Amino acid sequence: MLVSPSLRVLSYLANSSSALLSPDRNFLLHWLLKKTFYAQFCAGETMSEVRGTTKELKKIGYAGVILAHGKEIVLEKGEKVEVSSGTSTGSEDHGTLKEVQEWKDGTLKTVEMAEEGDFIGLKFSGAGRDAMRQLAAQVLPSNAIENSTTEICELSMTRGVRLLFDAEQDAVQKGIDAWTLRFQQRYNRITPGKAVVYGTYQAYLRSTPTTLARHLAIAQREGFTLGVKLVRGAYMASDPRHLFWGSKDETDKAYDGITEALLSRKWNDVLEPLSGEKTGKVPEVAFVLASHNHETVKKATKLREEQTQRGEQKIDMTWGQLMGMADEVSCELVMCDKAKEIEKNAVKERPNTYKYFVWGSVSECLKYLVRRAEENRDAVTGAEGTRLALRTELGRRIWG
């Protein structure tokens, strides 16, 4: 009942230019947001807070974290990105360069916070409005963005950290796909089946199976491993409705079909090869299954365990959920991993589970929090599963 009014208030604060409504200037507002929405989804405002959160998660049993800087640009519904046909490489004025520098500094700091084996989420929209214009125009990144992204990739490789280039709104997604492939071609050739750079694919888009098939063909042809993070999608409130599947069932079918094809390396009726391409195995990918759906997780776990029992070679895979969402799914995977470690049974699949969260000031994270709250509006009914799991566990601990 409180989700809709809370979302309206949060959205208003995120888009307000009033100093009085800035959490960084209004102490009471800062305290209220940090104790509620921020505490649910974010890691902290400082390096010490972030490291404390990370340490607690790893102590629980998570294999690692997916950490991202919270600053981003989210277009309002119907808002368009201005594209200048006369500028193909982006602006180099002081304001633009300052935005890119701040984005680079924040992302490099995020990489430095991470430990070996962790992931970093990277949003190109964080580099500012000119970056959005370049992405919308589907041109090569400006020198400033190219050099900054290269520096981020190089530091990540040095520290043993992997990069997830996040999906964003439809107006800029084709540009993001092109930039992501550009850096995958450069950094995903070192170890076959492993990736440093991952792209993000949103299963609720009708175009995703075809887009992914095209990227798989490019990776196979050019000899690099495609890094794939599969999500259901987070921009339903702002992107045109006709881009999405007509129902949740269709989205679930797309998500589960893509997952099955990538894990088994077999084409199916959801993920089909491009016309004229070889119809053999699906090219090997490095895969992050980012899902809060319990049925999806169960299906993927079952498939991986069957592969393990048959002694089949499996692709590199990580499980990921957002901090503050579907914690019962995450904890079930973590407990499964712990149980199999105790059993020391080599024929059982041990899930590699990560939690995704952002860090930054409350103001910087507001756009992210609005999207998370929007997702939670649709997930309220799903919270019943969490409550049932908690009641069951409580009863088990009391009554045995």
Side-chain angles (χ1 to χ4, degrees):
M1 188 170 66
L2 294 175
V3 174
S4 292
S6 296
L7 179 58
R8 285 195 293 270
V9 170
L10 197 61
S11 182
Y12 183 78
L13 292 173
N15 294 287
S16 173
S17 58
S18 168
L20 182 62
L21 296 179
S22 168
D24 290 345
R25 300 184 183 183
N26 183 322
F27 173 79
L28 182 59
L29 185 59
H30 178 276
W31 180 87
L32 180 63
L33 288 174
K34 190 164 183 179
K35 294 294 183 182
T36 52
F37 287 105
Y38 188 96
Q40 179 77 356
F41 299 115
C42 302
E45 295 187 87
T46 65
M47 184 175 288
S48 61
E49 288 181 353
V50 172
R51 285 183 169 161
T53 303
T54 300
K55 184 178 179 181
E56 287 303 312
L57 284 171
K58 290 185 177 180
K59 188 185 296 183
I60 291 171
Y62 288 98
V65 298
I66 304 169
L67 184 61
H69 191 228
K71 185 179 179 183
E72 62 180 68
I73 293 174
V74 178
L75 302 174
E76 295 300 309
K77 193 164 189 175
E79 182 183 356
K80 297 185 181 297
V81 181
E82 293 182 12
V83 179
S84 173
S85 58
T87 303
S88 60
T89 57
S91 171
E92 298 290 338
D93 65 76
H94 176 72
T96 295
L97 293 177
K98 183 173 181 290
E99 286 185 321
V100 175
Q101 184 67 42
E102 289 174 350
W103 169 75
K104 182 186 82 169
D105 290 345
T107 307
L108 288 174
K109 190 173 181 179
T110 307
V111 175
E112 289 167 354
M113 289 181 186
E115 298 175 356
E116 184 176 355
D118 287 341
F119 289 86
I120 297 301
L122 181 149
K123 279 189 177 298
F124 282 116
S125 66
R129 287 279 170 179
D130 193 61
M132 297 284 278
R133 285 190 284 270
Q134 293 173 55
L135 290 165
Q138 298 179 46
V139 297
L140 293 175
S142 65
N143 290 333
I145 293 176
E146 171 81 19
N147 294 336
S148 295
T149 308
T150 298
E151 191 174 337
I152 291 164
C153 289
E154 292 291 337
L155 180 61
S156 297
M157 283 187 62
T158 300
R159 292 184 60 82
V161 171
R162 292 162 287 181
L163 292 165
L164 303 177
F165 286 18
D166 280 345
E168 302 194 44
Q169 289 160 286
D170 181 67
V172 295
Q173 189 54 48
K174 288 182 180 178
I176 290 172
D177 286 343
W179 288 10
T180 302
L181 285 174
R182 179 180 179 83
F183 288 98
Q184 290 202 35
Q185 288 168 339
R186 194 179 303 172
Y187 290 100
N188 289 3
R189 299 177 181 275
I190 300 168
T191 305
K194 302 287 185 180
V196 174
V197 176
Y198 291 69
T200 301
Y201 299 84
Q202 302 181 96
Y204 70 177
L205 295 175
R206 294 174 181 269
S207 60
T208 290
T210 302
T211 299
L212 179 54
R214 186 172 64 253
H215 293 177
L216 286 165
I218 292 170
Q220 185 173 48
R221 184 175 64 247
E222 300 196 10
F224 66 92
T225 298
L226 192 71
V228 176
K229 183 181 83 169
L230 185 63
V231 301
R232 275 175 167 76
Y235 294 94
M236 189 170 282
S238 55
D239 276 344
R241 186 67 186 85
H242 70 273
L243 298 173
F244 311 131
W245 296 108
S247 67
K248 180 181 181 300
D249 286 344
E250 287 180 292
T251 297
D252 289 343
K253 180 184 176 182
Y255 193 103
D256 293 343
I258 291 170
T259 297
E260 182 183 356
L262 294 179
L263 293 182
S264 66
R265 299 190 62 192
K266 295 177 182 177
W267 303 103
N268 56 29
D269 61 350
V270 174
L271 186 62
E272 300 178 327
L274 296 179
S275 177
E277 298 288 342
K278 293 181 179 179
T279 56
K281 282 187 173 183
V282 173
E284 185 176 9
V285 302
F287 186 40
V288 176
L289 187 146
S291 176
H292 305 116
N293 185 290
H294 196 256
E295 288 304 311
T296 289
V297 170
K298 279 177 25 180
K299 288 177 184 176
T301 302
K302 184 173 183 291
L303 177 55
R304 292 280 284 188
E305 288 192 339
E306 289 171 350
Q307 289 178 315
T308 303
Q309 290 165 1
R310 291 193 296 264
E312 294 179 7
Q313 183 177 356
K314 298 178 295 185
I315 66 169
D316 182 51
M317 178 181 173
T318 297
W319 310 76
Q321 288 88 35
L322 293 165
M323 182 173 175
M325 293 184 69
D327 288 337
E328 79 283 0
V329 174
S330 304
C331 289
E332 186 174 319
L333 287 167
V334 168
M335 295 309 295
C336 179
D337 181 28
K338 285 185 174 182
K340 286 165 185 176
E341 181 180 16
I342 293 170
E343 293 173 13
K344 299 190 182 300
N345 193 333
V347 298
K348 290 192 176 181
E349 165 71 7
R350 290 184 57 191
N352 208 17
T353 313
Y354 285 63
K355 269 295 188 183
Y356 182 114
F357 50 62
V358 301
W359 76 277
S361 71
V362 175
S363 288
E364 286 176 324
C365 294
L366 270 179
K367 299 281 188 181
Y368 173 84
L369 291 173
V370 168
R371 290 197 295 112
R372 294 287 78 87
E374 183 66 47
E375 286 181 43
N376 272 351
R377 186 220 295 267
D378 298 327
V380 165
T381 55
E384 180 60 33
T386 301
R387 290 192 290 270
L388 178 60
L390 288 172
R391 286 197 297 268
T392 302
E393 176 62 14
L394 183 60
R396 185 189 69 79
R397 293 190 182 195
I398 294 175
W399 308 111

